Amino acid sequence: MFLLEISYTSFFEATLTSVLSLVLLLAASHQLWSLRWHSTRDRGSTLPLPKGSMGWPFFGETLHWLVQGSSFHSSRREKYGNVFKTHLLGKPVIRVTGAENIRKILLGEHSLVSTQWPQSTQMILGSNTLSNSIGELHRQKRKVMSKVLSSAALECYFPRIQEAVRWEVRGWCRGVGPVSMFACAKALTFRIASRILLGLSLTDSQFHELARTFEQLVENLFSLPLDIPFSGLRKGIKARDTLHQYMEEAIKEKLTRRDPDACEDALDYLINSGKEGGKEINMQELKESAIELLFAAFLTTASASTSLVLLLLKHPSAILKMRQELASHGFSKQCQCLPDMENPNNNILQDNGHRCLTAGCQLPLLMGTEGHLKTQGEQTEQLTDKTDPQNSLSSKNPLKGKNRIQEAPCSHDKSTCTPVPGKLQSPVSEGTSQQNSNLEKIKSLHYLECVVKEVLRLLPPVSGGYRTALQTFELDGYQIPKGWSVMYSIRDTHETAAVYQNAEMFDPERFSSERDEGKLGKFNYIPFGGGVRSCIGKELAKVILKILAMELVTTAKWELATPSFPKMQTVPVVHPVDGLQLSFSFLSSSDRDRAARNGSLA
């Protein structure tokens, strides 16, 4: 027994010694790791490094950041201030909040700082992209992309974007059971990016396979720079190689059958710009630019679209005001075509005793290219007559053959709601101007503009942007050493800006002409960044959000399919942790009549 007690005691002492040794080793390594980065401060500056923690060796605070989400930065900002240091994704980072601090960074591009995405992002996207280029190369690439996303190009994309949005929203309303809004938004934005911007001819199976591969690429853009089996970086590289292989085939096919001078979509612009001055086409550069364009139009816009639907659901008064504004500008829906009768969400409406319409089949009336009012169906029919039918929004072209009566927007009758099976009846608003273009008409919807701005202020898709210090400089009394990464915070700046009254509240009218809190300080509102690296696709994103909002409030109603609203995750973009489970249905006639009455009173 005595020997057994000695054995237990020896085992306990050995275990205790091992644990204490491990704790001391971890503490020493943590301290040495902190000293290692403290030693990199610029000795030529008397200013101290920002406060903060560098976390654990190699990993830094990456795991904390991934698990805690937005609370990671907010908790450290409260503890250390608007400028603090940390270590994320293998690099020392200084996180910056506040309009004046961010102004110095964004306007200091090419002098104080240079763009610097995480190493994993650079490796996956490639060196030929706009985001990873600097100096003169960046200016040249931005000039090309500016043509791709110019006002004239957006006018070209506009009717096809409308059709894509209408098609998706109608599908949500027809579905049985709840849908994941974030997944639906990603399907919508990928459809717009792949089929409309890049003009890819995709069957439904190809579309879904390409979307899954692209999502795998996006999910691993921000990962530890470890190129080992089963790592996030390895998965991202594998997805990139698959996408590049498909894009190379698509580009070669496009080169063999296209008009050399045609510019029907963004990929045409990229190809033509690559041949300027008699240059040989750089296939690798084209592939990387095409994937970057998909990335730019896909995830952030899907995030903002989901946030739009979420915030409108939380604030139904905003939906009512939008319906009133749309009605006052001649965008209200009157009579619409009949969807699938087997769908339990159908709302079969009556007009003068005729069974003539249901919601969800048609976007509001907009201006045609000749300056006359047209229905969306007429615009789409004209468009598809001029383009390759393989580039339709579905592998079963909704505007061809037998499917047209069932699926497409229908014919237009100015006078009455004559019951024509499967056809659209839609009275013309006599007081509507016949000179504005589609984009100009949408710009006249001021409250809609305020709603989109407030969504992007309250839930900006990305939390910030990365830069590298080209020289040591000062922010808030601290030195920012040369070579360190700087991450400016969009979300924290929006939340803490003193110019916003009740900044935590959803209040679109803060951007109205009477208040316009956003203009009280230029860098207090930066959902698209700023300076020479401001988001080049911001106008496209806003157009998509506006079209989606218009279609939703005039077509659909939606409710939460879970007991409570989900928490929000911030990596790689802002999105609900459960995808936001919603049940959609078509608006009833009473819903539309009520909105029309309220609009008249307004």
Side-chain angles (χ1 to χ4, degrees):
M1 181 65 71
F2 178 71
L3 293 175
L4 186 61
E5 289 179 356
I6 292 177
S7 178
Y8 279 140
T9 302
S10 300
F11 176 76
F12 176 76
E13 289 176 347
T15 303
L16 182 61
T17 301
S18 299
V19 171
L20 288 175
S21 299
L22 181 61
V23 170
L24 289 173
L25 180 62
L26 289 174
S29 63
H30 185 276
Q31 188 64 26
L32 289 172
W33 178 253
S34 298
L35 288 173
R36 178 256 187 275
W37 291 111
H38 184 75
S39 65
T40 62
R41 65 181 297 273
D42 189 338
R43 302 293 179 181
S45 172
T46 59
L47 297 173
L49 285 171
K51 298 176 182 178
S53 170
M54 302 305 285
W56 297 98
F58 186 73
F59 293 101
E61 294 192 300
T62 300
L63 298 179
H64 296 82
W65 173 57
L66 292 174
V67 171
Q68 296 176 15
S70 61
S71 63
F72 172 86
H73 294 298
S74 59
S75 63
R76 282 154 179 76
R77 187 188 71 240
E78 292 170 4
K79 184 177 182 180
Y80 301 122
N82 281 345
V83 180
F84 65 86
K85 69 176 182 287
T86 182
H87 193 281
L88 301 174
L89 299 175
K91 299 199 70 172
V93 178
I94 293 177
R95 174 88 170 190
V96 178
T97 299
E100 285 306 310
N101 291 331
I102 289 178
R103 178 182 182 276
K104 191 169 186 177
I105 292 170
L106 294 181
L107 297 185
E109 185 73 31
H110 305 316
S111 57
L112 289 180
V113 297
S114 177
T115 187
Q116 181 68 63
W117 287 88
Q119 190 175 352
S120 58
T121 309
Q122 296 179 56
M123 294 174 68
I124 292 172
L125 288 183
S127 59
N128 292 297
T129 55
L130 176 67
S131 55
N132 286 328
S133 59
I134 59 175
E136 182 60 30
L137 180 61
H138 173 262
R139 281 187 283 271
Q140 292 174 2
K141 288 184 176 294
R142 190 174 178 91
K143 184 178 179 180
V144 172
M145 286 293 188
S146 295
K147 293 180 181 178
V148 169
L149 299 168
S150 65
S151 296
L154 290 180
E155 286 281 7
C156 175
Y157 308 145
F158 192 92
R160 286 177 282 177
I161 293 174
Q162 282 184 311
E163 180 68 13
V165 171
R166 183 177 59 80
W167 183 272
E168 292 287 343
V169 171
R170 194 169 64 183
W172 305 341
C173 293
R174 283 179 163 178
V176 178
V179 299
S180 169
M181 186 60 227
F182 188 47
C184 288
K186 286 188 289 187
L188 169 62
T189 54
F190 190 75
R191 187 183 301 278
I192 291 171
S194 62
R195 288 177 168 166
I196 298 174
L197 294 188
L198 297 184
L200 301 181
S201 301
L202 301 170
T203 65
D204 280 349
S205 60
Q206 287 176 322
F207 173 81
H208 292 301
E209 181 62 29
L210 204 63
R212 280 193 297 269
T213 304
F214 188 75
E215 192 158 354
Q216 181 178 322
L217 178 145
V218 171
E219 287 174 351
N220 294 288
L221 276 175
F222 302 95
S223 54
L224 288 171
L226 293 173
D227 188 9
I228 57 177
F230 308 109
S231 67
L233 179 60
R234 179 66 63 86
K235 292 176 183 177
I237 290 174
K238 182 180 178 181
R240 178 203 65 191
D241 292 343
T242 301
L243 290 167
H244 278 189
Q245 182 180 357
Y246 182 88
M247 288 306 307
E248 183 168 349
E249 294 173 0
I251 291 169
K252 287 179 178 178
E253 180 184 352
K254 200 173 185 66
L255 287 170
T256 59
R257 63 182 177 83
R258 69 190 288 271
D259 179 349
D261 298 319
C263 277
E264 296 178 355
D265 51 53
L267 190 54
D268 285 325
Y269 280 108
L270 294 176
I271 291 172
N272 283 353
S273 66
K275 297 192 300 182
E276 285 181 356
K279 294 185 295 184
E280 289 290 328
I281 289 180
N282 185 325
M283 183 60 73
Q284 184 65 21
E285 184 175 347
L286 272 179
K287 289 187 294 187
E288 291 182 6
S289 296
I291 298 303
E292 183 180 35
L293 194 59
L294 281 176
F295 174 65
F298 170 61
L299 198 61
T300 52
T301 309
S303 167
S305 299
T306 305
S307 298
L308 170 71
V309 175
L310 172 64
L311 290 172
L312 288 179
L313 177 61
K314 287 184 174 181
H315 302 89
S317 60
I319 295 178
L320 179 60
K321 290 180 180 179
M322 289 170 66
R323 286 174 179 159
Q324 292 171 357
E325 181 178 58
L326 290 168
S328 67
H329 284 74
F331 283 95
S332 59
K333 296 183 181 182
Q334 301 295 329
C335 301
Q336 300 177 339
C337 61
L338 194 65
D340 185 359
M341 293 301 301
E342 295 180 0
N343 183 351
N345 287 333
N346 277 336
N347 298 311
I348 303 170
L349 310 181
Q350 304 289 329
D351 193 305
N352 297 327
H354 296 304
R355 183 168 168 273
C356 68
L357 58 88
T358 57
C361 296
Q362 140 93 4
L363 274 175
L365 296 177
L366 292 172
M367 292 294 166
T369 54
E370 304 88 353
H372 301 296
L373 278 167
K374 296 182 180 293
T375 65
Q376 177 64 36
E378 291 172 322
Q379 290 182 341
T380 307
E381 185 174 359
Q382 290 181 351
L383 178 70
T384 52
D385 285 343
K386 297 177 182 178
T387 58
D388 185 348
Q390 295 300 318
N391 287 336
S392 65
L393 296 172
S394 172
S395 61
K396 293 182 179 179
N397 190 342
L399 298 178
K400 298 290 183 183
K402 296 180 181 179
N403 288 335
R404 180 174 177 180
I405 293 179
Q406 295 179 344
E407 301 290 347
C410 316
S411 66
H412 164 69
D413 188 326
K414 293 184 181 180
S415 54
T416 63
C417 248
T418 306
V420 181
K423 297 260 181 135
L424 170 73
Q425 280 61 222
S426 202
V428 175
S429 173
E430 296 296 337
T432 307
S433 166
Q434 297 192 6
Q435 297 179 353
N436 295 341
S437 70
N438 292 332
L439 289 178
E440 289 172 343
K441 190 164 180 63
I442 282 186
K443 288 177 182 177
S444 69
L445 301 171
H446 300 302
Y447 186 74
L448 175 60
E449 175 77 16
C450 292
V451 168
V452 170
K453 281 186 175 180
E454 180 68 346
V455 169
L456 295 172
R457 183 196 71 84
L458 204 57
L459 292 173
V462 294
S463 59
Y466 286 93
R467 299 290 187 272
T468 292
L470 297 175
Q471 58 178 289
T472 300
F473 61 97
E474 178 268 338
L475 282 179
D476 266 10
Y478 297 106
Q479 65 163 277
I480 311 301
K482 178 182 178 180
W484 277 47
S485 292
V486 180
M487 184 182 184
Y488 67 89
S489 173
I490 295 173
R491 187 176 303 107
D492 291 354
T493 298
H494 287 180
E495 290 177 356
T496 59
V499 299
Y500 298 123
Q501 301 174 22
N502 302 314
E504 73 285 355
M505 294 179 59
F506 179 75
D507 180 13
E509 292 182 1
R510 72 172 75 249
F511 292 105
S512 64
S513 56
E514 293 78 12
R515 290 167 59 184
D516 207 356
E517 297 174 5
K519 285 193 175 179
L520 296 178
K522 181 179 179 181
F523 291 92
N524 287 306
Y525 182 77
I526 48 170
F528 299 105
V532 297
R533 288 197 179 267
S534 62
C535 176
I536 201 164
K538 61 185 178 181
E539 294 305 321
L540 171 66
K542 289 193 290 186
V543 165
I544 293 173
L545 290 174
K546 289 178 180 180
I547 292 174
L548 176 60
M550 291 167 63
E551 177 65 13
L552 282 171
V553 302
T554 56
T555 293
K557 52 185 177 182
W558 58 101
E559 59 185 20
L560 196 64
T562 53
S564 59
F565 286 103
K567 293 183 178 180
M568 302 299 285
Q569 187 172 327
T570 59
V571 180
V573 294
V574 171
H575 64 280
V577 292
D578 69 347
L580 187 59
Q581 303 298 310
L582 298 176
S583 296
F584 284 87
S585 61
F586 289 119
L587 279 177
S588 66
S589 55
S590 58
D591 294 325
R592 192 171 290 101
D593 290 343
R594 190 181 307 114
R597 286 196 301 272
N598 290 332
S600 298
L601 291 174

